[in-house]
Amino acid sequence: MTGTGQLLRLVLRRDRGVMPLWVFGIGILPLVYLQGFDTLFTTAPERIAYARVSAANTGFVALYGPLHGDSVGELVVWRGGFVPVMIALAALLTVLRHTRADEEAGRTELIRAGVTGRFAPLAAAVLATVLGCTVMGVIVAVTLIGQGLPAAGAVALGAVFAGSGWVFAGVGAVAAQISDSARGGRTIAVLVLGVSYVLRLGGDISAMGDGRLDWLSWLSPLGWVQRVFPFGADDWWPLALTVVVAAAAVGGGAFLLTRRDIGGGLLAGRLGPATASAALGSPLGLAWRLHRGLLFGWTAGFAALGLIFGGVGSSVVQLAEDSPGVSEMFTRIGGTEAISGAYFTTAAQLSGLIIACYAVQAALRIRDEEQNGHAEALLGTDVSRWAWGFGHLVFALIGPAVALFAEGLLAGLTFGDLGQVLETTMAQVPAVWVLAGVTVLLIGAVPKLSAAAWAVTATALLIMLVGPLLRVDQWVLDLSPFTHVSHGLTVAPMLSLTLIAAVLGGAGLFALRRRDVPV
Amino acid sequence: MADAIDAEGLIKRFGAVTALDGLDLTVRTGEVHGFLGPNGAGKTTTIRVLLGLMRADGGSARLLDGDPWADATALHRRLAYVPGDVTFWPNLTGGEVIDLLGRLRGGLDTARRKRLIERFELDPRKKGRAYSKGNRQKVALIAALASDVELLILDEPTSGLDPLMEEVFRETILEEKRRGDRTVLLSSHILSEVEALCDRLTIIRAGRTVETGTLDDLRHLTRTTIRAELTGPVNGLAGIAGVHDLTTADGRVSFDVDADALEPALKSLVAAGVRSLVSQPPSLEELFLRHYTGEPVR
Ligand SMILES: Nc1ncnc2c1ncn2[C@@H]1O[C@H](COP(=O)(O)OP(=O)(O)O)[C@@H](O)[C@H]1O
Ligand SMILES: [Mg+2]
């Protein structure tokens, strides 16, 4: 552990731009929600009615988690139910960035050759992340107490947020040892996060219906931190579980670290074919090799999500029909459609936003290939810029569509209304394409700002999460392509979104053809 | 036949940095041309411009009688490029990368591929991540050398190779040279490599061409170091243009002299009477170092 202190300072220095952004940005979200609710409900009965309807809205419960009370504090906690996912993502990415990514770049070797202990880089990365998450938790508690909410609940929510980060810092620490590349480590950690989310979602929805699968939530860190119920039960013991699991995961990461060589991983080193198969002889063939893992992974994940959405669909309908008051409210909020329609629409919106991350990730591969030098060898051959960029873009477009199709198909089949469910799900595809198009345009026109594609995606997510609550102007809502998705395969919005995506992507490829590579 | 590469007055700026500042480079068809310069001189940038990966801000460039930017892909079918900083896809094996790059160039001589893999002692079944820098370099070199192309553009191809493999590389290039149907542009900052392989060479510094010619031409530019013990006082030596760093003490003189001042300098020594004389032959090393350290040349 020698040198951990110095390395910690180095980590904090390198993250001095990014870390405050997520620590403060996420830290003040509960305050934003609180103010949103304060302006939304001027009287208590209004708020209580809203809480009752929301608690019975399966789509909401799927997205945010269960809601058991109707105080404004509980509403804030519930509405912030997706925030732990963002915190977890920030935490695991931070740990991986300062462990495996550094090791891959050869920086760790340099540092370990100096007077630093074997565990120092891992310890510094985890400490910095835990520190960031904890500061965020303090911000949450302080801002909410400042608004006059009960101190116990405010501190509990801060601890829930911080704890989500701690656990996934641990997940990052383990993932960094398992794979021998930063990309592989990220994939493993994000996969754990995705599975945690789906387990929580399945358990929570099941708890609304017959409750046969409600134990699923307890398999998920995202599920059990919610069982603290700040401002409600204020039950602290799931936090103890969080601390234990986080510590165990970090310890596990440290143990795995002793089991491998520097630069190596636990899952690596197999030999492959000495010659290329016939398929590997074109830019598209190469793109297939580079994208197929991602495609299979996302498709399998979304198929599982579809099974869960479809499986709990019938209990959703049952539940709503049993309580006519809720059913009436439900239909009013969800539009004029049937209850199942409203449910699957919310499910599709959620899926659309998640799969947009895949689209952006796949499109950003163009920039990755440029930066890590692979593109240069390729473009020195008979491959044109256009063919190179297009090969990746194809997968950024087709991949999310395939994953959504798998989800819609399985959800529809398990629910028993294939047509409606599949239509609702596939209606998201053109909006996802728009984000892929934006990404390619950034890569082509302002390559150094390519990563801003994530900011665009996060903005679309925020618009969906807080836009309606804060009653922002329509033009702000209109900025997100997902605002323009209609609930079904209506030709006009699908066509115009597709056209916008095509123009953005085409302009991006055109710009890519005209600029220097690599820059 | 026209020159394989003809670049004149290339200018390339990256923001405030001027990477190429009027660079000239001519590579004749069929020759092995050395392209030398210290780190950051602009070798890689020049090559990228020649490959149409980057667009020059000024000057003109012709490659295999085409426009490198406009005809990029058509030209690339006729050449093979080994980038200086090669990395490959972590999930592809070396063998797969060789085949892929070969096919993308329009074909690969499988017999030659096999021979090169043996000579470079490469295990083609390892995946990208498992290769060291030297092994990645070998993958790129084998892919290039096994392709049926007229022009090889190699950017510091031996950086990362161990001395044994460097020797294999030299032998391979010498064989190519004997066959005589390929043109090679070899960027390097290792003088001995260039001396061993190249017909002609171009030295650049800070984005500008400072010397170009055959090895002999360039040797001619270098100075001979003379040390002599004289029997009498020497006159006029200091006045000869081309005599540098002259020191005289108790009948001993030592100085550096340019090739074209050698005769007058020796004449004045002889006139003074020579007891002993040591001359150090001109070396490219010295010329090279002079360019590297940024001393004005002559
Ligand atoms: N993409 C780039 N952006 C900014 N500066 C660059 C870029 N590529 C090269 N340079 C600069 O141009 C100069 C020449 O670099 P390079 O051609 O790589 O030199 P060499 O290959 O001879 O070592 C250097 O000063 C380098 O820093
Ligand atoms: Mg270089």
Side-chain angles (χ1 to χ4, degrees):
Chain A
M1 302 271 281
T2 323
T4 304
Q6 265 156 323
L7 286 183
L8 176 61
R9 245 168 296 156
L10 178 67
V11 170
L12 292 176
R13 201 188 129 69
R14 282 178 61 201
D15 272 8
R16 67 181 184 276
V18 191
M19 199 182 266
L21 216 60
W22 61 264
V23 165
F24 288 97
I26 298 179
I28 60 160
L29 268 185
L31 184 66
V32 173
Y33 286 130
L34 179 64
Q35 280 166 352
F37 282 124
D38 276 348
T39 51
L40 197 58
F41 309 120
T42 42
T43 65
E46 273 176 1
R47 191 189 67 231
I48 292 167
Y50 173 84
R52 201 155 294 154
V53 176
S54 302
N57 181 333
T58 330
F60 276 179
V61 171
L63 184 54
Y64 305 129
L67 172 61
H68 284 336
D70 52 24
S71 70
V72 70
E74 282 163 297
L75 275 174
V76 166
V77 171
W78 166 76
R79 192 62 194 232
F82 194 76
V83 177
V85 176
M86 302 195 232
I87 300 169
L89 201 61
L92 65 88
L93 289 178
T94 306
V95 169
L96 279 159
R97 179 169 130 78
H98 293 287
T99 50
R100 180 52 76 174
D102 268 8
E103 196 165 328
E104 194 172 68
R107 286 189 284 269
T108 309
E109 204 163 349
L110 206 65
I111 284 171
R112 281 268 302 278
V115 191
T116 49
R118 180 204 295 272
F119 298 112
L122 179 65
V126 170
L127 279 177
T129 310
V130 166
L131 194 70
C133 294
T134 309
V135 169
M136 176 176 53
V138 171
I139 294 173
V140 169
V142 169
T143 51
L144 292 186
I145 292 172
Q147 294 291 308
L149 289 191
V155 172
L157 181 60
V160 164
F161 277 16
S164 319
W166 299 340
V167 171
F168 281 90
V171 170
V174 173
Q177 320 306 324
I178 294 177
S179 168
D180 66 348
S181 71
R183 181 188 299 279
R186 278 195 293 268
T187 305
I188 292 172
V190 170
L191 202 69
V192 172
L193 178 60
V195 170
S196 300
Y197 188 75
V198 170
L199 287 174
R200 198 229 83 220
L201 183 155
D204 288 351
I205 295 180
S206 170
M208 297 178 71
D210 53 18
R212 270 183 303 148
L213 295 175
D214 61 355
W215 49 270
L216 285 178
S217 301
W218 283 102
L219 297 181
S220 160
L222 296 173
W224 81 62
V225 290
Q226 286 186 336
R227 295 307 183 273
V228 173
F229 290 121
F231 301 110
D234 275 335
D235 194 354
W236 287 82
W237 77 263
L239 283 172
L241 182 61
T242 300
V243 172
V244 170
V245 171
V250 172
F255 171 73
L256 294 177
L257 179 64
T258 62
R259 310 252 102 188
R260 64 176 187 83
D261 298 332
I262 193 160
L266 296 170
L267 293 182
R270 273 174 301 145
L271 293 178
T275 55
S277 69
L280 189 60
S282 66
L284 211 56
L286 175 64
W288 164 245
R289 266 302 283 277
L290 299 179
H291 284 273
R292 68 182 181 193
L294 217 51
L295 176 64
F296 293 154
W298 279 94
T299 305
F302 265 58
L305 199 62
L307 277 178
I308 291 182
F309 278 144
V312 298
S314 36
S315 49
V316 172
V317 176
Q318 190 70 49
L319 188 78
E321 279 169 355
D322 288 350
S323 44
V326 168
S327 152
E328 188 189 308
M329 287 274 232
F330 200 133
T331 353
R332 218 166 62 210
I333 290 182
T336 54
E337 303 183 30
I339 297 159
S340 66
Y343 163 66
F344 281 112
T345 299
T346 315
Q349 279 172 346
L350 174 64
S351 314
L353 272 172
I354 298 176
I355 208 70
C357 295
Y358 170 29
V360 170
Q361 185 189 14
L364 276 177
R365 191 71 200 244
I366 300 174
R367 179 67 180 155
D368 288 351
E369 290 281 292
E370 177 183 359
Q371 280 186 306
N372 56 26
H374 302 165
E376 190 167 0
L378 207 62
L379 293 175
T381 69
D382 195 7
V383 173
S384 68
R385 302 275 180 92
W386 197 84
W388 168 60
F390 186 72
H392 292 282
L393 182 56
V394 162
F395 285 91
L397 299 178
I398 292 180
V402 168
L404 281 177
F405 184 82
E407 186 207 332
L409 184 71
L410 285 167
L413 287 176
T414 19
F415 179 68
D417 183 359
L418 183 58
Q420 187 206 8
V421 176
L422 196 55
E423 260 187 33
T424 314
T425 313
M426 294 308 278
Q428 302 288 328
V429 169
V432 175
W433 285 350
V434 169
L435 286 175
V438 169
T439 309
V440 175
L441 183 59
L442 286 170
I443 295 170
V446 277
K448 289 184 178 144
L449 297 179
S450 301
W454 290 117
V456 174
T457 313
T459 308
L461 179 72
L462 275 181
I463 288 178
M464 177 178 150
L465 286 182
V466 299
L469 181 62
L470 294 184
R471 294 197 171 159
V472 296
D473 291 344
Q474 186 61 33
W475 71 266
V476 178
L477 294 179
D478 284 344
L479 287 178
S480 164
F482 294 98
T483 308
H484 305 280
V485 173
S486 62
H487 308 153
L489 297 179
T490 320
V491 175
M494 290 197 67
L495 212 59
S496 49
L497 283 173
T498 306
L499 204 67
I500 291 171
V503 169
L504 290 169
L509 288 183
F510 183 74
L512 186 64
R513 268 176 67 174
R514 303 194 59 82
R515 73 166 169 86
D516 291 349
V517 175
V519 291
Chain B
M1 216 189 297
D3 293 330
I5 294 174
D6 189 12
E8 255 171 69
L10 284 185
I11 293 178
K12 179 72 193 173
R13 293 186 200 92
F14 297 108
V17 181
T18 302
L20 301 183
D21 191 12
L23 185 132
D24 303 318
L25 173 67
T26 306
V27 178
R28 296 179 190 150
T29 302
E31 75 178 0
V32 177
H33 193 100
F35 191 36
L36 278 127
N39 291 322
K43 302 182 292 293
T44 301
T45 306
T46 307
I47 290 175
R48 285 177 176 160
V49 168
L50 290 173
L51 287 167
L53 294 172
M54 289 184 171
R55 190 166 3 203
D57 297 315
S60 67
R62 300 287 295 171
L63 177 83
L64 299 173
D65 247 345
D67 178 333
W69 180 265
D71 314 328
T73 51
L75 294 173
H76 293 176
R77 221 163 296 161
R78 298 163 57 194
L79 62 85
Y81 168 45
V82 176
D85 219 350
V86 272
T87 60
F88 291 118
W89 303 273
N91 45 349
L92 261 62
T93 64
E96 285 180 313
V97 170
I98 293 172
D99 286 347
L100 172 69
L101 292 180
R103 286 172 193 171
L104 292 176
R105 274 183 203 119
L108 194 86
D109 181 333
T110 43
R112 205 177 322 160
R113 174 191 191 276
K114 186 161 172 282
R115 219 168 39 243
L116 285 164
I117 285 180
E118 277 164 19
R119 280 180 75 175
F120 278 104
E121 295 172 19
L122 180 83
D123 182 349
R125 295 168 306 159
K126 278 196 191 162
K127 300 217 171 146
R129 258 197 293 279
Y131 284 122
S132 63
K133 165 133 172 66
N135 277 312
R136 294 198 301 266
Q137 208 91 44
K138 288 186 203 170
V139 170
L141 274 172
I142 294 170
L145 290 167
S147 303
D148 244 333
V149 291
E150 309 160 36
L151 173 64
L152 294 173
I153 297 183
L154 314 176
D155 192 0
E156 300 192 18
T158 53
S159 60
L161 291 189
D162 60 42
L164 220 64
M165 286 303 137
E166 240 178 273
E167 196 46 48
V168 174
F169 169 75
R170 283 183 198 189
E171 282 165 18
T172 318
I173 295 294
L174 286 175
E175 272 168 33
E176 295 286 339
K177 213 167 142 172
R178 277 195 291 276
R179 286 214 325 238
D181 52 356
R182 299 226 230 204
T183 309
V184 181
L185 176 64
L186 172 67
S187 121
S188 176
H189 60 245
I190 304 167
L191 188 69
S192 63
E193 179 175 288
V194 170
E195 271 189 297
L197 297 177
C198 298
D199 304 303
R200 294 194 326 128
L201 60 107
T202 297
I203 300 179
I204 67 166
R205 190 163 65 85
R208 234 178 271 209
T209 307
V210 287
E211 300 291 354
T212 186
T214 64
L215 287 171
D216 286 341
D217 288 344
L218 294 191
R219 272 197 198 99
H220 189 73
L221 294 175
T222 64
R223 296 169 187 165
T224 309
T225 304
I226 307 264
R227 273 194 298 271
E229 252 179 282
L230 303 179
T231 51
V234 62
N235 292 319
L237 203 51
I240 302 172
V243 170
H244 309 268
D245 301 332
L246 175 67
T247 54
T248 35
D250 345 312
R252 288 168 209 270
V253 292
S254 89
F255 57 92
D256 296 339
V257 57
D258 293 333
D260 42 8
L262 199 54
E263 202 176 312
L266 287 181
K267 274 189 178 142
S268 63
L269 288 185
V270 169
V274 181
R275 185 172 291 145
S276 76
L277 184 138
V278 181
S279 98
Q280 235 162 43
S283 81
L284 274 181
E285 197 83 39
E286 183 226 355
L287 174 73
F288 202 50
L289 280 175
R290 264 191 287 155
H291 285 306
Y292 269 42
T293 50
E295 235 181 82
V297 180
R298 277 188 298 165

